[in-house]
Amino acid sequence: MVFKKRALKKLVKDKYKADAHPQHESPKNEVPPEDVLSTELDQNVQYIRQTFGNSSDLSFSDFELGHKKAVLVYLNGLVDKMIISHFFENISRPEFLIEHSEFLTEKVEASDFMKQFFAPANKVNEIQLYKEVVTAILAGNAVLLVDSISHALVINTKGWRDRDVSESATENVVRGPKEAFTENIQTNTALVRRKIKDPRLWLEKKEIGNITQTSVSVMYIHSIANDKIVKEVHERLDKIDIDGILESNYIEEFIQDEVYTPFPTVFNTERPDVVAAALLEGRIAIFIDGTPFVLLVPALFTHFFQAAEDYYQRWDISTLLRLLRVTAYFISLLGPSAYIAVINFHQEMLPTPLLISLAAQREGVPFPALIEALIMEVTLEILREAGLRLPKAIGQTVSIVGALVIGQAAVEAGIISAAMVIVVSITAISNFILPAYNMGIAVRILRFLFMFLAGSFGLYGIAAGIFALALHLCSLRSFGIPYMEPLAPYIASDMKDTLWRKPRWKLVTRPRLINQTNIVRENVTPKNK
């Protein structure tokens, strides 16, 4: 019976696919993309027109090449117009036909012919397949087709405009490099190579996306990165079967180890110095064309508390800042829930003057502490999202004025107590200290869960939630590496650069579970030690 149901479902599914995507008869003159180019120019042009659906941005520049017809095909907006103009200037010279008459009779290779008169700085390749012609045009190249010749020339004419390298908008530092990645994958990989000038820095490219054909590159340092992790990264990327990749999160959701968790197991950054430092530790970087954010794996829990500036300041300052972030993390996670638990269940923990003050403030409030906190937290999240979506000119003004006006009006109206406004404000500010935005989102989600536990069971509910959270964190993996390493499992040698940072000359070894082939990264000791 089960097999009959499965067969019926498969039959219905196949019928739906057939109805949704009917098979049209191919035009008589359409040529399969695996075939070679024809010697008839009109047939080649017709195939290209049909493939691109007569798109308005597809240009066919017709001209006479001796006594033969020729066409230069390219997509407007993807090519450099100066290179195209230079091409036509060359072929319009009177002495052109005399100098290159051999090409018109196919006595010389087409690539040799082009190299003689075209700009030496432009790479020229010879192709013979229809699918190669389509790929070359989509990549921003121009393709030269000549009548009675069964091959084409691909001319490097890429010339679309890219955003200039500028300062990072999400990872600002007081001291350190100011450059950030752009949407061009070649620019991004070049920024990292400027910092790591070593031939062992390997870059492996692949295309992902059945329609978008997005360029994705995997970068790592050979003999430092773990070969097993590198192999695992390639296997997960090769399994992705999707129509398009438009941003790095498309890749992140496919390659992450755990789906049902608020905690990120893949790190992302738009700073080249952060990527270079991660590569030197043995991590692997994944570049995606079209986005300035680069993915780093494996990503550990402590990794999200480390900022780039930690390594550009003295070790004692960096340690203080990291401990401050950890403290702010717990305040952001447990601040409202601790207040709810104490007010509702554990009033005896408060000093008498403070208890009297809080009781006086809550005397006219009609809601219990849990509902009061939920109102404030939801309002804060609305204001936060409104500040992000509104235009920059008014976004900050609306969010700041909205928070002040709503908070003050709510207290004066007796809907919210002043103490609750203070607690929620400190919680929101503490959340902004975290360097990783996605880790801050995880805290915002869990905060509501702890608020419900505190409103139901008090501090006992918070304790139970912390135990469950610790067990969940210890069960996570990032490409096979324990998420809480080196805290759990505890590795004493790796604790030197986790929640605190030891002096630079003591950072002798790389993380052991991430890197198992080349542990030692320095052998330098200051003279005064």
Side-chain angles (χ1 to χ4, degrees):
M1 187 67 181
V2 175
F3 292 103
K4 290 183 179 180
K5 288 183 178 180
R6 290 179 179 176
L8 181 61
K9 288 182 179 179
K10 186 177 184 304
L11 181 62
V12 173
K13 184 177 180 181
D14 295 340
K15 180 66 169 60
Y16 172 77
K17 288 183 177 180
D19 295 339
H21 305 283
Q23 298 294 328
H24 299 286
E25 292 184 1
S26 301
K28 295 181 179 179
N29 294 328
E30 185 174 356
V31 183
E34 62 270 16
D35 286 354
V36 297
L37 289 168
S38 172
T39 55
E40 297 182 9
L41 179 62
D42 293 338
Q43 183 175 343
N44 296 335
V45 171
Q46 184 179 4
Y47 170 78
I48 297 174
R49 289 187 184 275
Q50 292 174 350
T51 303
F52 285 88
N54 288 321
S55 299
S56 58
D57 58 345
L58 184 65
S59 295
F60 293 87
S61 299
D62 302 326
F63 59 95
E64 290 289 335
L65 195 60
H67 299 289
K68 296 184 179 181
K69 295 187 297 182
V71 176
L72 189 67
V73 188
Y74 56 90
L75 283 171
N76 286 315
L78 297 184
V79 298
D80 189 341
K81 288 293 187 179
M82 294 297 294
I83 301 178
I84 300 296
S85 300
H86 180 66
F87 171 83
F88 285 107
E89 288 177 1
N90 275 320
I91 64 173
S92 61
R93 290 184 294 116
E95 63 274 13
F96 175 80
L97 297 178
I98 301 175
E99 293 177 357
H100 307 291
S101 58
E102 293 182 353
F103 168 73
L104 304 179
T105 57
E106 291 190 301
K107 292 183 179 180
V108 297
E109 293 293 334
S111 57
D112 295 336
F113 158 76
M114 290 297 297
K115 290 175 183 178
Q116 292 178 19
F117 83 94
F118 204 63
N122 291 277
K123 185 178 180 181
V124 178
N125 294 323
E126 183 179 345
I127 56 176
Q128 293 183 338
L129 300 180
Y130 279 105
K131 62 180 181 180
E132 294 176 340
V133 171
V134 174
T135 302
I137 296 174
L138 291 173
N141 299 306
V143 176
L144 175 63
L145 300 170
V146 182
D147 192 22
S148 73
I149 297 180
S150 60
H151 50 241
L153 296 179
V154 178
I155 307 167
N156 184 9
T157 57
K158 299 176 184 177
W160 58 78
R161 294 187 60 84
D162 296 319
R163 181 168 62 91
D164 295 333
V165 177
S166 58
E167 188 174 354
S168 173
T170 59
E171 301 175 69
N172 297 324
V173 296
V174 177
R175 180 180 178 181
K178 302 297 183 181
E179 59 188 6
F181 291 125
T182 68
E183 286 75 15
N184 190 318
I185 190 172
Q186 295 180 348
T187 302
N188 297 341
T189 55
L191 288 173
V192 177
R193 285 201 177 274
R194 285 177 55 190
K195 297 183 179 296
I196 303 179
K197 302 177 181 66
D198 194 294
R200 292 177 295 175
L201 181 62
W202 288 6
L203 187 67
E204 300 173 1
K205 181 181 177 182
K206 55 186 64 185
E207 306 289 335
I208 301 180
N210 298 328
I211 297 177
T212 60
Q213 292 291 311
T214 305
S215 298
V216 177
S217 296
V218 178
M219 178 180 283
Y220 60 94
I221 301 180
H222 182 63
S223 76
I224 292 182
N226 192 329
D227 293 337
K228 294 182 179 179
I229 300 179
V230 174
K231 182 180 178 181
E232 181 68 19
V233 170
H234 282 290
E235 290 179 353
R236 296 188 186 186
L237 291 175
D238 292 338
K239 291 180 181 178
I240 298 177
D241 186 7
I242 189 174
D243 286 343
I245 301 294
L246 302 179
E247 213 279 328
S248 58
N249 184 66
Y250 285 61
I251 300 291
E252 180 178 345
E253 290 195 31
F254 278 105
I255 65 175
Q256 61 186 358
D257 288 63
E258 185 64 38
V259 177
Y260 301 104
T261 178
F263 294 96
T265 56
V266 177
F267 192 83
N268 67 81
T269 180
E270 59 175 346
R271 294 184 59 90
D273 55 331
V274 174
V275 173
L279 292 172
L280 292 172
E281 284 189 343
R283 290 184 170 89
I284 301 157
I286 303 174
F287 294 79
I288 299 95
D289 192 24
T291 175
F293 289 92
V294 175
L295 304 180
L296 294 173
V297 293
L300 309 181
F301 180 74
T302 56
H303 194 187
F304 294 90
F305 291 87
Q306 301 171 4
E309 199 171 6
D310 291 350
Y311 302 93
Y312 308 143
Q313 302 283 0
R314 285 173 48 88
W315 66 274
D316 48 354
I317 299 175
S318 301
T319 299
L320 176 62
L321 293 177
R322 284 190 185 178
L323 294 178
L324 184 63
R325 294 187 197 114
V326 174
T327 304
Y329 176 83
F330 283 102
I331 293 175
S332 178
L333 180 65
L334 304 175
S337 58
Y339 176 80
I340 294 171
V342 171
I343 289 298
N344 287 351
F345 299 96
H346 310 283
Q347 296 91 345
E348 69 278 0
M349 297 179 62
L350 297 176
T352 302
L354 179 59
L355 180 60
I356 295 174
S357 176
L358 293 177
Q361 294 178 25
R362 293 188 49 78
E363 185 176 359
V365 177
F367 304 109
L370 176 59
I371 303 301
E372 188 182 1
L374 287 175
I375 293 174
M376 287 300 298
E377 287 292 341
V378 172
T379 304
L380 179 65
E381 294 297 330
I382 293 174
L383 288 173
R384 191 201 304 259
E385 287 300 311
L388 289 175
R389 310 304 168 203
L390 286 172
K392 290 184 179 180
I394 61 175
Q396 294 182 353
T397 304
V398 170
S399 59
I400 294 175
V401 174
L404 292 175
V405 172
I406 292 175
Q408 183 178 358
V411 172
E412 292 179 354
I415 300 176
I416 304 296
S417 64
M420 180 60 73
V421 174
I422 295 174
V423 170
V424 172
S425 301
I426 294 176
T427 301
I429 295 173
S430 300
N431 187 261
F432 291 127
I433 295 180
L434 298 177
Y437 179 74
N438 47 1
M439 180 60 76
I441 295 177
V443 174
R444 288 159 57 184
I445 295 173
L446 294 173
R447 187 188 304 154
F448 287 94
L449 177 60
F450 276 95
M451 287 166 55
F452 283 109
L453 290 175
S456 303
F457 307 103
L459 292 179
Y460 298 104
I462 295 177
I466 292 175
F467 286 134
L469 181 61
L471 292 174
H472 174 70
L473 287 172
C474 292
S475 66
L476 296 179
R477 295 288 187 274
S478 180
F479 283 81
I481 305 299
Y483 193 58
M484 293 301 292
E485 190 271 338
L487 303 175
Y490 179 75
I491 302 177
S493 60
D494 288 350
M495 290 296 294
K496 58 184 176 295
D497 188 20
T498 52
L499 302 180
W500 56 83
R501 183 174 80 81
K502 288 186 177 182
R504 175 73 60 182
W505 49 271
K506 283 193 175 182
L507 304 179
V508 179
T509 59
R510 299 182 177 88
R512 293 185 179 273
L513 291 185
I514 295 178
N515 182 281
Q516 299 177 353
T517 56
N518 190 349
I519 300 296
V520 179
R521 59 178 168 186
E522 66 180 45
N523 189 18
V524 179
T525 303
K527 295 180 180 179
N528 58 347
K529 299 298 178 183

